[in-house]
Amino acid sequence: MSSYLIMIGIFDSGIGGLTTVRALMDTLPGHDLIYFGDTARTPYGSKSRETVIRYAIENTEFLIERGATVIVIACNTASSVATEVLMEKFHIPVFEVITPAVEMAIRQSPRHRIGVIGTRGTVNSGIYERLIKAQIPGASVFSTPCPLLVPLVEEGWFHRPETRMIVKKYLHPLKVRQVETLILGCTHYPLLKAVIQEKIGRRVRIIDSSVAVADKISRFFIDHPDLDRAVSRNGNADLFVSDITDQFEKTAGTILKRKVVLNRV
């Protein structure tokens, strides 16, 4: 694999996965990135397991056809059901956003009281609780589905009173259980991190899966210097979506903190 130029391919059900792109840009400057946001078929959280796996395979094929040699599943729903399928089918490094977030949450939870918010698909899969309790059997894990947050982010409603009210309602069950850490179990949610922190309380540590997976990939390259030498260092980032609106481009610019061009495919 070291004879190839390394390109990191990232996909998500929408544009929220650009939070992972932003984290990778910050953590691995110079690495070439290619992103696909499946905005025409978002959200994945309400889809069946079989449908999500099919979408994940199609997304991965798209990225590999355009040069990706490492895949990042920047979607919690797809991470929970499609990771092993992709690893078996494509035989290249595949990273998902759930395990790194779990590892970070465990490190930062002395009493092991961990909250999780995510889509219905992610929460119903029970993946976070299983992974946490596999390492810490006595951990207390409290999960709450937040189905309205993804469309709020996609619409750019980051600071609207309605968003603040909805976040408060979703987080109330976790707040009364006095969680120490809160895993943002969807890569859209970091866009609402400020209001989430306010509503859950300042003492609760927020676990951003995009930051956690970027740190894990950085360690991967440190451990595989032959691959790191194959990085172009151009720092190119190509962004593709399956549907486009003015709001998507505006939100993407907010995430990446610069003017962006989304390419529709």
Side-chain angles (χ1 to χ4, degrees), residues 40-191:
R41 301 187 292 194
T42 194
Y44 283 7
S46 58
K47 306 290 193 300
S48 69
R49 180 179 186 275
E50 293 74 19
T51 296
V52 173
I53 289 174
R54 175 165 59 86
Y55 290 174
I57 291 172
E58 293 171 356
N59 299 345
T60 302
E61 289 173 340
F62 173 86
L63 294 171
I64 290 175
E65 287 169 1
R66 283 155 182 80
T69 52
V70 175
I71 295 295
V72 182
I73 311 173
C75 170
N76 278 257
T77 302
S79 292
S80 68
V81 301
T83 300
E84 291 185 5
V85 174
L86 298 186
M87 293 176 71
E88 292 174 3
K89 183 174 179 64
F90 295 105
H91 306 291
I92 61 175
V94 176
F95 294 88
E96 40 79 20
V97 291
I98 294 176
T99 303
V102 164
E103 293 169 348
M104 183 177 286
I106 289 174
R107 290 196 302 270
Q108 297 190 24
S109 304
R111 296 184 294 118
H112 303 130
R113 296 184 66 82
I114 300 171
V116 180
I117 56 174
T119 66
R120 284 198 181 97
T122 298
V123 171
N124 290 343
S125 75
I127 184 69
Y128 279 100
E129 184 170 5
R130 287 198 304 274
L131 291 178
I132 292 168
K133 292 198 171 185
Q135 298 185 51
I136 310 291
S140 298
V141 184
F142 308 97
S143 302
T144 297
C146 303
L148 294 178
L149 297 192
V150 168
L152 289 171
V153 169
E154 296 280 346
E155 286 298 317
W157 283 26
F158 307 128
H159 307 292
R160 295 283 290 265
E162 298 91 338
T163 301
R164 298 169 64 85
M165 179 184 66
I166 291 168
V167 169
K168 181 179 180 180
K169 184 173 180 63
Y170 280 151
L171 294 182
H172 179 71
L174 303 178
K175 188 170 185 176
V176 298
R177 287 175 172 82
Q178 298 182 323
V179 297
E180 298 170 282
T181 54
L182 177 64
I183 297 175
L184 305 185
C186 175
T187 47
H188 286 69
Y189 294 178
L191 274 297

Side-chain angles (χ1 to χ4, degrees), residues 177-222:
R177 287 175 172 82
Q178 298 182 323
V179 297
E180 298 170 282
T181 54
L182 177 64
I183 297 175
L184 305 185
C186 175
T187 47
H188 286 69
Y189 294 178
L191 274 297
L192 300 174
K193 189 185 295 186
V195 66
I196 289 171
Q197 185 73 78
E198 176 188 338
K199 299 305 180 185
I200 195 64
R202 294 293 169 185
R203 294 183 179 181
V204 178
R205 299 177 182 89
I206 301 295
I207 306 298
D208 184 338
S209 59
S210 62
V211 173
V213 72
D215 288 344
K216 186 161 189 172
I217 295 170
S218 177
R219 292 195 301 271
F220 172 80
F221 281 112
I222 292 172

